[in-house]
Protein backbone atom coordinates (compact mmCIF):
# COMPACT_ATOMS: atom_id res chain seq x y z
CA UNK A 1 0.00 0.00 0.00
CA UNK A 2 2.77 2.37 0.94
CA UNK A 3 4.70 1.75 -2.26
CA UNK A 4 1.54 2.40 -4.25
CA UNK A 5 1.12 5.81 -2.60
CA UNK A 6 4.76 6.67 -3.26
CA UNK A 7 4.30 5.73 -6.93
CA UNK A 8 1.17 7.87 -7.17
CA UNK A 9 2.93 10.85 -5.58
CA UNK A 10 5.90 10.45 -7.96
CA UNK A 11 3.52 10.41 -10.88
CA UNK A 12 1.87 13.67 -9.81
CA UNK A 13 5.27 15.27 -9.19
CA UNK A 14 6.33 14.38 -12.74
CA UNK A 15 3.11 15.83 -14.17
CA UNK A 16 3.50 19.02 -12.13
CA UNK A 17 7.18 19.37 -13.07
CA UNK A 18 6.38 18.89 -16.77
CA UNK A 19 3.63 21.51 -16.52
CA UNK A 20 6.03 24.02 -14.88
CA UNK A 21 8.79 23.38 -17.45
CA UNK A 22 6.31 23.79 -20.33
CA UNK A 23 5.07 27.14 -19.06
CA UNK A 24 8.54 28.44 -18.24
CA UNK A 25 9.68 27.54 -21.74
CA UNK A 26 6.71 28.47 -23.91
CA UNK A 27 4.26 30.69 -22.08
CA UNK A 28 4.23 34.40 -22.94
CA UNK A 29 5.41 36.82 -20.27
CA UNK A 30 4.31 39.82 -22.34
CA UNK A 31 2.73 40.77 -25.64
CA UNK A 32 3.82 43.20 -28.36
CA UNK A 33 1.46 44.66 -30.92
CA UNK A 34 2.67 44.34 -34.48
CA UNK A 35 1.88 46.91 -37.18
CA UNK A 36 -1.81 47.49 -37.81
CA UNK A 37 -2.67 46.29 -41.30
CA UNK A 38 -5.43 47.31 -43.69
CA UNK A 39 -6.05 44.95 -46.62
CA UNK A 40 -8.32 45.79 -49.56
CA UNK A 41 -9.39 43.91 -52.68
CA UNK A 42 -11.18 45.61 -55.59
CA UNK A 43 -12.67 44.60 -58.92
CA UNK A 44 -13.23 47.34 -61.49
CA UNK A 45 -14.87 47.72 -64.89
CA UNK A 46 -14.97 50.63 -67.30
CA UNK A 47 -13.81 52.24 -70.56
CA UNK A 48 -10.25 52.25 -71.90
CA UNK A 49 -8.64 54.41 -74.60
CA UNK A 50 -5.37 53.22 -76.20
CA UNK A 51 -2.92 54.86 -78.59
CA UNK A 52 0.47 53.49 -79.63
CA UNK A 53 1.89 54.97 -82.82
CA UNK A 54 4.45 52.15 -83.08
CA UNK A 55 1.51 49.87 -83.94
CA UNK A 56 -1.02 52.28 -85.44
CA UNK A 57 -1.80 55.98 -85.78
CA UNK A 58 -5.39 55.22 -84.78
CA UNK A 59 -6.89 55.57 -81.32
CA UNK A 60 -8.64 52.48 -79.99
CA UNK A 61 -11.42 52.49 -77.42
CA UNK A 62 -13.36 49.81 -75.61
CA UNK A 63 -13.86 48.33 -72.16
CA UNK A 64 -11.63 46.70 -69.62
CA UNK A 65 -11.27 45.01 -66.25
CA UNK A 66 -8.95 45.82 -63.35
CA UNK A 67 -8.00 43.93 -60.20
CA UNK A 68 -6.48 45.94 -57.35
CA UNK A 69 -5.08 44.62 -54.08
CA UNK A 70 -3.57 46.91 -51.45
CA UNK A 71 -1.91 46.41 -48.07
CA UNK A 72 -1.21 49.30 -45.70
CA UNK A 73 0.76 48.80 -42.49
CA UNK A 74 1.23 51.28 -39.65
CA UNK A 75 3.83 50.89 -36.93
CA UNK A 76 2.50 51.26 -33.35
CA UNK A 77 3.16 54.77 -32.08
CA UNK A 78 4.55 55.91 -35.43
CA UNK A 79 3.23 58.41 -37.97
CA UNK A 80 4.73 56.41 -40.86
CA UNK A 81 2.78 53.90 -42.91
CA UNK A 82 4.00 51.45 -45.54
CA UNK A 83 1.84 50.78 -48.57
CA UNK A 84 1.93 48.00 -51.18
CA UNK A 85 -0.33 47.76 -54.23
CA UNK A 86 -0.84 45.21 -57.00
CA UNK A 87 -2.85 46.20 -60.05
CA UNK A 88 -3.74 44.05 -63.08
CA UNK A 89 -5.48 45.52 -66.15
CA UNK A 90 -6.92 43.93 -69.27
CA UNK A 91 -8.77 45.69 -72.11
CA UNK A 92 -10.30 44.79 -75.46
CA UNK A 93 -10.46 47.86 -77.71
CA UNK A 94 -11.30 48.68 -81.35
CA UNK A 95 -10.79 51.56 -83.78
CA UNK A 96 -13.48 54.01 -84.90
CA UNK A 97 -14.63 51.76 -87.76
CA UNK A 98 -14.72 48.70 -85.50
CA UNK A 99 -12.71 46.74 -88.10
CA UNK A 100 -9.40 46.49 -86.24
CA UNK A 101 -8.82 45.63 -82.65
CA UNK A 102 -6.15 45.64 -79.96
CA UNK A 103 -5.70 43.68 -76.76
CA UNK A 104 -3.99 45.46 -73.88
CA UNK A 105 -2.82 44.11 -70.55
CA UNK A 106 -0.38 45.05 -67.81
CA UNK A 107 0.67 44.44 -64.23
CA UNK A 108 1.81 47.21 -61.88
CA UNK A 109 3.45 46.88 -58.47
CA UNK A 110 3.68 49.93 -56.21
CA UNK A 111 5.38 50.33 -52.85
CA UNK A 112 6.20 53.31 -50.68
CA UNK A 113 6.05 55.08 -47.33
CA UNK A 114 3.82 57.95 -46.28
CA UNK A 115 3.79 60.25 -43.25
CA UNK A 116 0.42 60.47 -41.51
CA UNK A 117 -1.23 63.44 -39.81
CA UNK A 118 -4.35 62.78 -37.71
CA UNK A 119 -6.23 66.07 -37.90
CA UNK A 120 -9.36 67.21 -36.08
CA UNK A 121 -12.87 66.10 -37.04
CA UNK A 122 -11.55 62.65 -38.05
CA UNK A 123 -9.53 63.90 -41.02
CA UNK A 124 -6.47 61.84 -41.96
CA UNK A 125 -3.76 63.14 -44.34
CA UNK A 126 -0.77 61.18 -45.66
CA UNK A 127 2.06 62.50 -47.82
CA UNK A 128 5.08 60.60 -49.12
CA UNK A 129 6.44 58.78 -52.12
CA UNK A 130 6.01 55.49 -53.93
CA UNK A 131 8.00 53.53 -56.49
CA UNK A 132 6.23 51.62 -59.24
CA UNK A 133 7.15 48.96 -61.76
CA UNK A 134 4.99 48.14 -64.77
CA UNK A 135 5.14 45.38 -67.35
CA UNK A 136 2.58 44.86 -70.09
CA UNK A 137 1.74 44.52 -73.77
CA UNK A 138 -0.42 45.84 -76.59
CA UNK A 139 -1.33 43.41 -79.38
CA UNK A 140 -2.79 44.66 -82.67
CA UNK A 141 -4.93 41.93 -84.22
CA UNK A 142 -4.65 43.40 -87.76
CA UNK A 143 -0.87 43.89 -88.01
CA UNK A 144 1.22 41.24 -89.71
CA UNK A 145 4.48 43.15 -89.25
CA UNK A 146 5.29 44.26 -85.68
CA UNK A 147 1.90 43.18 -84.31
CA UNK A 148 2.81 43.67 -80.63
CA UNK A 149 4.41 46.24 -78.39
CA UNK A 150 6.04 45.37 -75.07
CA UNK A 151 5.80 47.82 -72.19
CA UNK A 152 8.27 47.97 -69.29
CA UNK A 153 8.70 51.01 -67.06
CA UNK A 154 9.57 52.14 -63.54
CA UNK A 155 8.74 55.43 -61.83
CA UNK A 156 9.16 57.42 -58.63
CA UNK A 157 5.90 59.10 -57.65
CA UNK A 158 5.00 61.71 -55.03
CA UNK A 159 1.84 60.43 -53.34
CA UNK A 160 -0.84 61.97 -51.14
CA UNK A 161 -4.03 60.63 -49.55
CA UNK A 162 -6.87 62.34 -47.70
CA UNK A 163 -9.43 60.41 -45.66
CA UNK A 164 -12.52 61.46 -43.69
CA UNK A 165 -14.62 59.25 -41.43
CA UNK A 166 -18.19 60.08 -40.43
CA UNK A 167 -21.45 58.50 -39.26
CA UNK A 168 -24.64 58.38 -41.30
CA UNK A 169 -27.79 56.25 -40.93
CA UNK A 170 -26.27 54.66 -37.81
CA UNK A 171 -23.36 53.40 -39.86
CA UNK A 172 -19.66 54.30 -39.93
CA UNK A 173 -18.47 55.62 -43.30
CA UNK A 174 -15.06 56.46 -44.74
CA UNK A 175 -14.22 58.54 -47.80
CA UNK A 176 -10.70 58.41 -49.22
CA UNK A 177 -8.84 60.08 -52.09
CA UNK A 178 -5.36 59.08 -53.31
CA UNK A 179 -3.20 60.81 -55.92
CA UNK A 180 -0.01 59.49 -57.57
CA UNK A 181 2.00 61.70 -59.94
CA UNK A 182 4.99 60.04 -61.66
CA UNK A 183 7.96 62.40 -61.39
CA UNK A 184 10.90 60.60 -62.99
CA UNK A 185 11.53 57.10 -64.29
CA UNK A 186 12.80 54.86 -67.07
CA UNK A 187 10.98 52.95 -69.78
CA UNK A 188 11.67 50.59 -72.66
CA UNK A 189 10.73 51.76 -76.16
CA UNK A 190 11.78 50.80 -79.68
CA UNK A 191 12.81 53.73 -81.83
CA UNK A 192 10.74 54.99 -84.72
CA UNK A 193 10.83 52.39 -87.52
CA UNK A 194 12.91 49.91 -85.46
CA UNK A 195 11.71 46.32 -85.27
CA UNK A 196 11.98 43.95 -82.32
CA UNK A 197 14.03 41.67 -84.56
CA UNK A 198 16.68 44.37 -84.82
CA UNK A 199 16.72 44.88 -81.05
CA UNK A 200 16.78 41.31 -79.78
CA UNK A 201 18.13 39.22 -82.67
CA UNK A 202 20.63 41.60 -84.23
CA UNK A 203 21.43 43.44 -81.00
CA UNK A 204 21.07 46.88 -82.60
CA UNK A 205 20.53 49.18 -79.61
CA UNK A 206 19.01 52.53 -80.54
CA UNK A 207 18.20 54.49 -77.39
CA UNK A 208 15.75 51.79 -76.29
CA UNK A 209 16.03 52.50 -72.53
CA UNK A 210 14.73 56.03 -72.07
CA UNK A 211 14.76 58.28 -69.00
CA UNK A 212 11.31 59.82 -68.56
CA UNK A 213 10.08 62.82 -66.57
CA UNK A 214 6.73 64.47 -65.93
CA UNK A 215 7.41 66.42 -69.14
CA UNK A 216 8.03 63.51 -71.55
CA UNK A 217 5.62 61.16 -69.74
CA UNK A 218 2.96 63.29 -67.99
CA UNK A 219 0.89 60.66 -66.23
CA UNK A 220 -1.48 60.52 -63.26
CA UNK A 221 -3.23 57.90 -61.17
CA UNK A 222 -5.97 58.79 -58.73
CA UNK A 223 -8.56 56.92 -56.73
CA UNK A 224 -11.69 57.90 -54.81
CA UNK A 225 -13.54 55.44 -52.57
CA UNK A 226 -16.52 55.47 -50.24
CA UNK A 227 -16.82 52.68 -47.71
CA UNK A 228 -19.54 51.57 -45.30
CA UNK A 229 -18.72 49.46 -42.24
CA UNK A 230 -20.44 46.08 -42.27
CA UNK A 231 -19.02 45.04 -38.91
CA UNK A 232 -16.09 46.21 -36.77
CA UNK A 233 -12.93 46.43 -38.89
CA UNK A 234 -14.69 45.31 -42.11
CA UNK A 235 -16.00 47.59 -44.85
CA UNK A 236 -17.77 47.31 -48.20
CA UNK A 237 -16.34 49.93 -50.57
CA UNK A 238 -17.24 51.41 -53.95
CA UNK A 239 -15.19 53.94 -55.87
CA UNK A 240 -13.49 55.22 -58.99
CA UNK A 241 -9.96 54.54 -60.27
CA UNK A 242 -8.52 56.73 -63.01
CA UNK A 243 -5.17 55.67 -64.47
CA UNK A 244 -3.74 57.90 -67.21
CA UNK A 245 -0.43 56.71 -68.66
CA UNK A 246 1.13 58.58 -71.56
CA UNK A 247 4.57 59.19 -73.07
CA UNK A 248 6.30 60.73 -76.05
CA UNK A 249 9.74 59.15 -76.57
CA UNK A 250 11.83 58.07 -79.59
CA UNK A 251 9.42 59.94 -81.90
CA UNK A 252 6.59 57.66 -80.77
CA UNK A 253 3.45 58.58 -78.86
CA UNK A 254 1.54 56.30 -76.56
CA UNK A 255 -1.22 56.53 -74.00
CA UNK A 256 -3.51 54.25 -72.03
CA UNK A 257 -6.41 56.02 -70.34
CA UNK A 258 -8.54 53.79 -68.14
CA UNK A 259 -11.59 54.63 -66.04
CA UNK A 260 -12.87 52.03 -63.62
CA UNK A 261 -15.89 51.79 -61.34
CA UNK A 262 -14.57 49.78 -58.41
CA UNK A 263 -16.24 47.59 -55.80
CA UNK A 264 -14.31 45.90 -53.05
CA UNK A 265 -13.88 44.73 -49.50
CA UNK A 266 -11.60 46.30 -46.87
CA UNK A 267 -10.45 44.58 -43.70
CA UNK A 268 -8.38 46.05 -40.85
CA UNK A 269 -6.63 43.95 -38.23
CA UNK A 270 -3.73 43.85 -35.78
CA UNK A 271 -1.52 40.85 -35.07
CA UNK A 272 -0.29 40.12 -31.57
CA UNK A 273 3.16 38.59 -31.18
CA UNK A 274 3.90 36.85 -27.89
CA UNK A 275 7.28 37.30 -26.26
CA UNK A 276 8.94 34.32 -24.68
Amino acid sequence: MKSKNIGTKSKWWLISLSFIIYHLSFSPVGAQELPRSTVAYFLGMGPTNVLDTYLSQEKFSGSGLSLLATVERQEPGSHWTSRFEHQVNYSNVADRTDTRGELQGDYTFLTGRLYRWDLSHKWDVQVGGMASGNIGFIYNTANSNNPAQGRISANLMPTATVSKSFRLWRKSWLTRYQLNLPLVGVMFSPNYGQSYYEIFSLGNYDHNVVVTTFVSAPSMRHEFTLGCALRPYSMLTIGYLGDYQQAKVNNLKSHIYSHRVMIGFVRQFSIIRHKL
Side-chain angles (χ1 to χ4, degrees), residues 41-48 63-69 86-91 104 106 221 241-243 258-263:
Y41 300 97
F42 293 94
L43 172 65
M45 299 180 62
T48 305
S63 59
L65 294 172
S66 293
L67 296 174
L68 178 64
H86 303 268
Q87 182 178 331
V88 178
N89 302 312
Y90 175 78
S91 298
Q104 180 272 328
D106 66 81
R221 180 178 180 271
L241 174 65
D243 196 354
S258 63
H259 307 270
R260 300 288 188 263
V261 176
M262 310 289 288
I263 183 168

Side-chain angles (χ1 to χ4, degrees), residues 92-152:
N92 190 341
V93 294
D95 65 1
R96 291 172 292 179
T97 62
D98 202 23
T99 57
R100 293 184 298 171
E102 287 185 343
L103 304 177
Q104 180 272 328
D106 66 81
Y107 164 74
T108 303
F109 173 72
L110 304 96
T111 181
R113 285 177 64 82
L114 296 91
Y115 189 85
R116 177 192 298 268
W117 287 274
D118 292 318
L119 305 180
S120 59
H121 306 295
K122 299 184 179 180
W123 283 94
D124 181 284
V125 177
Q126 298 183 62
V127 177
M130 299 187 75
S132 71
N134 176 276
I135 182 169
F137 70 92
I138 301 174
Y139 176 74
N140 189 299
T141 59
N143 286 4
S144 57
N145 186 31
N146 292 339
Q149 165 77 303
R151 299 173 57 85
I152 302 176

Side-chain angles (χ1 to χ4, degrees), residues 35-42 68-75 81-87 107-114 126 129-132 159 176 178 180 221 223:
R36 184 180 63 188
S37 297
T38 302
V39 181
Y41 300 97
F42 293 94
L68 178 64
T70 70
V71 178
E72 186 176 278
R73 301 182 65 191
Q74 183 178 10
E75 298 288 341
T81 61
S82 300
R83 189 168 180 84
F84 308 90
E85 300 190 29
H86 303 268
Q87 182 178 331
Y107 164 74
T108 303
F109 173 72
L110 304 96
T111 181
R113 285 177 64 82
L114 296 91
Q126 298 183 62
M130 299 187 75
S132 71
T159 301
R176 186 177 184 277
Q178 177 175 322
N180 304 95
R221 180 178 180 271
E223 176 185 354

